[in-house]
Amino acid sequence: MRIHVADHPLIAHKLTTLRDRQTDSPTFRRLADELVTLLAYEATRDVRVSPVELETPVAATQGVRLTSPKPLVVPILRAGLGMLDGMVRLLPTAEVGFLGMVRDEGTLTPSTYATRMPDDLAGRQCYVLDPMLATGGTLIAAVNLLADRGADDITAICLLAAPEGIATMEKALGDCRVPVTIVTAAIDERLNEQGFIVPGLGDAGDRLYGVV
């Protein structure tokens, strides 16, 4: 498993405001959207392209276009929805699937309650959107589901990650046949007893959409 921390001043600037408890939901949503677009730029460095011939107004030349099958973007509901617009703005031709997962607050174990994506993902690059890589359980389940459906390259984009979650994923996915990459804005200090990232930014879903 490959970890990429996007070290850029604009990313650090936007993340600082996201962390601030005084940042309201509209501002949080806007900054999360902008931050995801910056992270998506890093995450798509290895997106597959093929050469094409074309005519400019001046001369014939060569360029590249995204290959088929199209990449699949998979936000994990509900907080991952707040990352979707920022991702498809950079990758507008991608298809979008949805994965609904919820974490039991007592056991911290994730369970899947909804899936909306193709059954056959053979040859597909997949980009999973989940704001927080905390315990790692949700992303492990998502990666395994995508791999079982045939995805051959999986990148998870997270606003923040915890060392414990990264270690858990590395252990759980050690035998995974599919290459997995984590792209994040920062790796924080630790998890607390409730499974929240410290210092973190709180519950991303609540800060995006309010407490429901």
Side-chain angles (χ1 to χ4, degrees):
M1 191 175 79
R2 187 168 68 94
I3 310 295
H4 177 70
V5 179
D7 183 16
H8 191 284
L10 285 178
I11 289 175
H13 167 74
K14 294 178 189 300
L15 180 58
T16 297
T17 307
L18 287 176
R19 291 185 190 275
D20 191 341
R21 66 186 303 169
Q22 301 300 324
T23 301
D24 58 21
S25 286
T27 304
F28 192 95
R29 283 194 296 270
R30 176 178 59 80
L31 287 173
D33 178 81
E34 294 172 0
L35 180 53
V36 170
T37 299
L38 294 172
L39 293 175
Y41 179 81
E42 298 290 338
T44 54
R45 285 184 179 273
D46 296 322
V47 70
R48 293 169 189 156
V49 295
S50 55
V52 295
E53 302 283 345
L54 69 148
E55 294 278 345
T56 78
V58 179
T61 188
Q62 282 193 333
V64 297
R65 290 200 174 97
L66 295 182
T67 58
S68 293
K70 297 176 180 178
L72 182 71
V73 177
V74 183
I76 296 181
L77 306 180
R78 75 181 159 134
L81 280 178
M83 303 172 69
L84 181 58
D85 286 348
M87 183 69 186
V88 298
R89 182 178 299 111
L90 193 69
L91 204 61
T93 59
E95 295 182 348
V96 179
F98 295 93
L99 182 56
M101 306 189 80
V102 64
R103 186 177 74 166
D104 185 286
E105 295 304 325
T107 65
L108 304 181
T109 303
S111 59
T112 303
Y113 64 85
T115 57
R116 183 69 174 177
M117 66 183 73
D119 292 328
D120 183 7
L121 296 176
R124 300 285 286 266
Q125 286 183 293
C126 294
Y127 295 90
V128 182
L129 308 180
D130 192 12
M132 315 297 282
L133 198 181
T135 63
T138 298
L139 274 179
I140 291 168
V143 167
N144 285 330
L145 188 151
L146 294 170
D148 288 345
R149 295 195 180 195
D152 67 356
D153 188 273
I154 300 170
T155 298
I157 301 175
C158 307
L159 302 183
L160 287 179
E164 296 92 334
I166 291 173
T168 299
M169 287 192 69
E170 288 177 330
K171 182 178 179 180
L173 301 174
D175 296 328
C176 183
R177 60 175 181 79
V178 178
V180 177
T181 302
I182 306 296
V183 177
T184 184
I187 299 176
D188 273 9
E189 296 173 10
R190 59 183 175 86
L191 293 179
N192 65 14
E193 295 76 9
Q194 290 76 41
F196 281 90
I197 298 175
V198 178
L201 49 75
D203 186 296
D206 288 350
R207 298 200 65 188
L208 282 163
Y209 304 118
V211 180
V212 179

